[in-house]
Amino acid sequence: MMMRFVFAAILALSMPMGAHAALPIQSVTSPGGITAWLVEDHAIPFTALEIHLRGGTSLDPADQRGVINLMTALIEEGAGDLDAQGFANARDDLAASFRFQAGTDSINISARFLTENQAQAVDLLHLALTQPQFDAEAVERVRGQVLANIRSSTKDPETIASDRFDRLAFGTHPYGSSGDGTEQSVAGLSRDDILAAFKSAINRGDIYVAATGDITAADLGILLDRLLGDLPTTGAPLPKRADLALKPGVTVVEFPGPQSVIYFGHDGIKRDDPDFFPAFILNEILGGGRFSARLMTEVRDKRGLTYGIGTFLSPMDHAELMLGQFSSANTTAAEAIEIVRSEWQRAATNGVTAEELAKTKTYLTGSYPLRFNGNARIARILVGMQADGLTIDYADTRNAQIEAVTLDDMARVAKRLLRPDALQFVIVGAPEGLTSTP
């Protein structure tokens, strides 16, 4: 589960006006008191809107795992007096698009609409957010789709590894099981359960909004009240902080095939920790996506034990992890794991070199403007920044914060963050010479 969610705030930002131009983000407060971040771009008569509702599948009642996911998938399947087909036709007639997605810690709503159809598109989205039908035909159809996905995931070694790692890490906390639910839990959900989930999750008590495109601050304020003003002000309480129950060692899950999928990790670091940027750079050097990362060099390039290996920081709302993943032949999985442990220890003991730090800074700061890819992506990143508690000038200060990291910072954080003796490896396959540790 956790491996499938990408942490939005570390994505880089830019504007189409040039690689080094500041991102002109405005903070907009509606007459009704709803706040959003806005980047105006009137070149094309189109607006992208992103809404982040804190909570997500972690709000599931313990005996109704998967209800938030099912409910979110049903929001667009009919609303008001429009059935699923009628709603889809109305949306398509406006050349608008809506997307509702349930994540571990949030429900994310994406809307795209033309300026000439803005009012009608907002009204249609408002209808979905306030009067979803959840009629029997749609519930059963979407439930069938969810159940098919769950059945498929039971045969996917990556999903098996991810889910087992989460269970070992978090036990009975919502983080410890898939937000999709199980066949049994989803099959048992009633329409009343879905309605209750809607009331618990769709509210403006803990909401973040971003817009980019052909809309002014004044018009956005009016839109916010029109779309969100009559949503409930509170919902279900968020879950408590997750106690990390992860123990070091190896867990083998038998699965037929020539390769083993391996997930590994231990506790991580909070996004608002003063050491986050050194930790971010450290992760890039150790296991980032580039071929020059240490693990890619040692496990892939020098020994050919995998096609690819990567690590990342996962600061969630209620827990933090540092995670990694790779696949290796059953005959080489044990050797690859020992190399990961060795590289973890080497970095923890010796830190990184001045050359590694300099090159990684150059990469991270130089690639910063290249991550930009249109108004829709800017809106997604802006809403992620808000959810992660970043300041509105983050886009302008991010590179300076990277450049300020020193070798001493890196050495200190490597010793603090990297704990090879705490690593848990979950292996799904038939690895030779590996068995589960007690």
Side-chain angles (χ1 to χ4, degrees):
M1 175 181 65
M2 303 306 169
M3 295 287 291
R4 300 199 292 266
F5 291 94
V6 179
F7 153 60
I10 63 177
L11 294 175
L13 306 172
S14 76
M15 279 296 290
M17 60 196 73
H20 302 290
L23 191 68
I25 307 171
Q26 305 174 60
S27 180
V28 176
T29 301
S30 75
I34 301 171
T35 299
W37 287 3
L38 168 66
V39 173
E40 292 187 45
D41 181 359
H42 301 286
I44 301 174
F46 162 87
T47 298
L49 183 71
E50 291 287 331
I51 302 168
H52 177 110
L53 305 169
R54 196 178 295 281
T57 63
S58 65
L59 296 179
D60 283 345
D63 60 347
Q64 296 176 20
R65 200 68 171 115
V67 68
I68 295 290
N69 180 63
L70 179 58
M71 177 276 295
T72 305
L74 283 162
I75 291 177
E76 202 175 356
E77 297 293 326
D81 60 358
L82 298 173
D83 63 12
Q85 189 60 55
F87 188 93
N89 290 340
R91 180 199 60 216
D92 294 347
D93 287 345
L94 295 171
S97 70
F98 306 140
R99 184 185 182 196
F100 303 83
Q101 185 173 25
T104 304
D105 287 321
S106 64
I107 291 175
N108 295 287
I109 303 166
S110 303
R112 313 285 182 258
F113 44 80
L114 298 172
T115 302
E116 63 182 289
N117 296 332
Q118 179 191 115
Q120 300 98 309
V122 168
D123 286 345
L124 188 62
L125 181 57
H126 174 265
L127 193 66
L129 292 176
T130 55
Q131 300 179 49
Q133 285 191 350
F134 300 137
D135 71 88
E137 185 279 329
V139 169
E140 293 312 311
R141 174 167 44 80
V142 175
R143 189 202 308 269
Q145 295 166 359
V146 172
L147 289 172
N149 290 337
I150 292 172
R151 294 185 192 107
S152 176
S153 70
T154 64
K155 302 174 183 178
D156 175 30
E158 291 192 7
T159 302
I160 294 169
S162 176
D163 288 349
R164 177 62 66 90
F165 190 98
D166 292 343
R167 187 158 69 250
L168 292 171
F170 299 115
T172 59
H173 188 277
Y175 284 176
S177 60
S178 171
D180 293 345
T182 65
E183 286 190 65
Q184 182 179 6
S185 67
V186 173
L189 295 172
S190 68
R191 184 175 186 276
D192 286 344
D193 296 332
I194 295 168
L195 281 169
F198 178 80
K199 292 176 182 177
S200 73
I202 306 299
N203 63 85
R204 58 185 177 92
D206 207 350
I207 193 170
Y208 304 93
V209 185
T212 57
D214 188 29
I215 189 168
T216 65
D219 287 342
L220 178 59
I222 294 170
L223 182 154
L224 294 173
D225 285 345
R226 185 172 184 169
L227 177 61
L228 306 170
D230 56 355
L231 292 184
T233 56
T234 59
L238 298 177
K240 295 180 180 179
R241 181 165 177 80
D243 294 325
L244 190 65
L246 195 66
K247 296 179 180 179
V250 170
T251 300
V252 176
V253 181
E254 292 294 332
F255 192 87
Q259 285 208 330
S260 291
V261 171
I262 302 159
Y263 277 41
F264 62 94
H266 56 45
D267 56 313
I269 187 170
K270 292 182 178 181
R271 180 59 186 84
D272 60 358
D273 191 293
D275 281 334
F276 181 81
F277 271 105
F280 177 49
I281 296 172
L282 176 65
N283 175 75
E284 182 64 32
I285 292 171
L286 180 61
R290 294 177 300 149
F291 286 105
S292 60
R294 287 187 180 185
L295 290 178
M296 285 286 277
T297 298
E298 297 297 328
V299 182
R300 181 187 187 276
D301 294 348
K302 289 185 178 181
R303 297 170 178 86
L305 303 179
T306 186
Y307 287 109
I309 181 170
T311 63
F312 66 91
L313 301 173
S314 179
M316 299 164 285
D317 284 1
H318 312 293
E320 305 81 40
L321 292 172
M322 184 171 185
L323 299 167
Q325 182 205 355
F326 65 100
S327 297
S328 188
N330 290 327
T331 56
T332 59
E335 179 185 0
I337 286 173
E338 286 309 307
I339 295 167
V340 171
R341 284 198 180 108
S342 176
E343 289 303 311
W344 224 258
Q345 184 65 66
R346 180 164 75 96
T349 302
N350 302 322
V352 304
T353 68
E355 181 181 10
E356 285 176 318
L357 178 58
K359 286 185 176 180
T360 303
K361 284 182 176 181
T362 298
Y363 166 72
L364 291 174
T365 56
S367 62
Y368 184 74
L370 304 180
R371 305 287 179 89
F372 171 79
N373 190 26
N375 284 341
R377 189 172 186 193
I378 287 183
R380 286 195 298 271
I381 295 173
L382 292 188
V383 86
M385 286 170 54
Q386 295 174 72
D388 285 320
L390 302 177
T391 59
I392 201 168
D393 65 345
Y394 174 77
D396 301 326
T397 64
R398 180 260 198 190
N399 276 1
Q401 293 181 74
I402 289 175
E403 293 288 7
V405 174
T406 67
L407 268 179
D408 288 342
D409 294 330
M410 297 298 295
R412 182 188 71 256
V413 173
K415 286 182 171 62
R416 170 191 170 188
L417 180 63
L418 301 178
R419 299 188 298 115
D421 292 340
L423 284 169
Q424 165 66 223
F425 293 85
V426 173
I427 306 152
V428 177
E432 295 183 9
L434 288 171
T435 57
S436 297
T437 53

